[in-house]
Amino acid sequence: MPKGTILLAAGGTGGHLFPAEALAHELIARGWRVDLATDDRAGRYITNFPATKTHGISSATLGSRNPFALLRAFWTIWSGVRQASRVIAAIKPDAVVGFGGYPTLPPLYAATRRRVPTLIHEQNAVMGRANKALSGRVDAIAGGFLEPGEGPIGSKIVTTGNPVRPAILKSAATPYLPSAAGEPFRLLVFGGSQGAQFFSDAVPPAVALLPEALRNRLRVVQQARAEDVARVKAAYAALHIPAEVAPFYSNMAERIAAAHLVVSRSGASTVSEVAVIGRPALFVPFPYALDHDQAANAANLAASGGAEVHAQSTLSPERIASLLSGLMEAPERLAAMAAATKTAGKPGAARLLADLTEAIARGTSLADFRQGTRS
């Protein structure tokens, strides 16, 4: 018999679902049943999610200024609250844990109305809008980068770090071996669900500007939007550079571990996974993020010396070529960056978040939980 049931709620993107998956594995190992509430975008991200049951919950984004669109969104969210309320009545969770994104609004709101213990996890250094809307109602807030503070919201925050999936923890055991002069150099480029187009436009022309000796060393793995895959492949083929290009990689942990250098956006999960595995990175924050959270996420790792952060507006092909050539010719520097990145990683985040979840489910106060973690 399981200890009880924990309902996890997450928006249907990797950034929200991957830390939820990590917590699910940890809770199941401790004897809990785990269910998942999410939206219809989640398909490709939950193939390895160990939920006993996945519940589709209606939700909508409150991003439009059109009053009719807002009315439709509120109605959809309210429909989702009713759906979530029925799910909660059926499975009787001991706690509900949200991981951000608008699809978490209905389950968490329904849970607070039914007085089920609730917790939200904020992956980013800046709290997202959905979590901000829920922060006053929930019992506790776990922070990937957030620190405890004063006041009714800050006093609820417990810094846990961002949980990473078992595949990431396994890949963290792979040591970083720098590529010396004349040896193959593995470059990993990815941009997430929103930010890959810039890399498709900018990285192949930058690679074309590298000296031939450096181009001959390159082995590229690049994520690209489906509509960009063919042209990115063609660009690398014209340069005679071995390249894998695809819209999605299910084995991203292995890809990160194999890389000599990562070039990517700086979503919270990306930053946390790169840190736990320990790889040097060039982060390019997505410039259109509403809360500019990616820049803040990247700054945390850059402060350790393990990554560089570059604004997209500064990255011409010439500038990218200069950055790549400088690092490819400095294996000692890349090794030092990899070591610095690894020291900033938090491989125990899933364990600590599971401890907090169990405490909330038992009705333990945050003061007692904090006291217990210190002793």
Side-chain angles (χ1 to χ4, degrees):
M1 286 287 292
K3 287 183 180 179
T5 298
I6 306 294
L7 177 62
L8 306 184
T13 64
H16 299 304
L17 283 161
F18 290 159
E21 179 189 326
L23 177 61
H25 282 288
E26 180 68 21
L27 289 172
I28 290 167
R30 297 182 184 201
W32 293 87
R33 166 187 163 135
V34 173
D35 278 20
L36 172 67
T38 187
D39 65 341
D40 57 8
R41 299 173 299 163
R44 69 183 182 183
Y45 298 108
I46 59 173
T47 54
N48 296 315
F49 206 106
T52 300
K53 188 171 182 180
T54 298
H55 307 273
I57 302 294
S58 299
S59 190
T61 301
L62 299 174
S64 174
R65 296 182 181 180
N66 182 307
F68 296 104
L70 278 174
L71 187 61
R72 283 195 301 272
F74 275 115
W75 177 252
T76 302
I77 290 171
W78 180 245
S79 298
V81 171
R82 295 171 65 186
Q83 288 175 316
S85 192
R86 290 192 292 270
V87 168
I88 289 168
I91 68 172
K92 296 179 173 56
D94 295 87
V96 179
V97 184
F99 283 85
Y102 279 101
T104 62
L105 286 176
L108 270 293
Y109 185 75
T112 60
R113 292 180 78 218
R114 287 178 164 269
R115 292 184 166 82
V116 177
T118 51
L119 160 68
I120 55 176
H121 180 271
E122 175 55 60
Q123 296 91 52
N124 293 294
V126 178
M127 191 176 292
R129 288 172 295 168
N131 274 349
K132 196 175 293 184
L134 292 164
S135 60
R137 300 182 64 92
V138 299
D139 297 303
I141 301 167
F145 297 108
L146 297 178
E147 298 285 345
E150 301 296 327
I153 304 304
S155 62
K156 295 182 183 181
I157 295 173
V158 176
T159 304
T160 59
N162 285 318
V164 296
R165 297 163 290 158
I168 297 293
L169 295 175
K170 181 180 178 181
S171 291
T174 304
Y176 182 77
L177 300 175
S179 170
E183 295 179 346
F185 187 97
R186 293 183 292 275
L187 177 68
L188 174 63
V189 183
F190 61 99
S193 56
Q194 291 181 307
Q197 183 180 357
F198 168 74
F199 294 126
S200 296
D201 294 339
V203 175
V207 167
L209 297 174
L210 292 174
E212 184 178 2
L214 294 183
R215 284 204 311 272
N216 289 341
R217 293 174 57 199
L218 272 181
R219 306 291 184 269
V220 177
V221 173
Q222 183 162 342
Q223 179 201 23
R225 300 183 307 168
E227 57 266 40
D228 294 330
V229 167
R231 70 178 175 91
V232 175
K233 281 185 175 180
Y236 288 123
L239 296 168
H240 306 290
I241 292 174
E244 294 181 59
V245 184
F248 180 72
Y249 292 101
S250 60
N251 60 341
M252 187 57 83
E254 296 171 20
R255 303 285 184 167
I256 294 172
H260 291 111
L261 176 65
V262 173
V263 177
S264 73
R265 296 303 190 184
S266 49
S269 288
T270 295
V271 171
S272 299
E273 291 177 355
V274 169
V276 169
I277 293 174
R279 294 298 178 263
L282 298 180
F283 287 132
V284 185
F286 185 59
Y288 309 111
L290 291 173
D291 300 310
H292 301 291
D293 52 351
Q294 290 206 1
N297 297 342
N300 277 273
L301 200 52
S304 75
E308 295 181 7
V309 184
H310 297 276
Q312 180 174 306
S313 60
T314 68
L315 292 179
S316 64
E318 291 78 10
R319 176 60 176 153
I320 296 172
S322 174
L323 292 169
L324 290 177
S325 62
L327 290 171
M328 289 179 72
E329 293 175 327
E332 299 86 357
R333 184 182 171 205
L334 285 175
M337 290 175 69
T341 301
K342 195 154 183 110
T343 62
K346 294 184 177 180
R351 175 188 52 77
L352 184 55
L353 183 57
D355 290 346
L356 179 58
T357 301
E358 290 186 318
I360 294 300
R362 291 192 301 264
T364 304
S365 71
L366 284 179
D368 287 344
F369 175 77
R370 290 189 178 102
Q371 183 63 36
T373 58
R374 293 191 196 103
S375 59

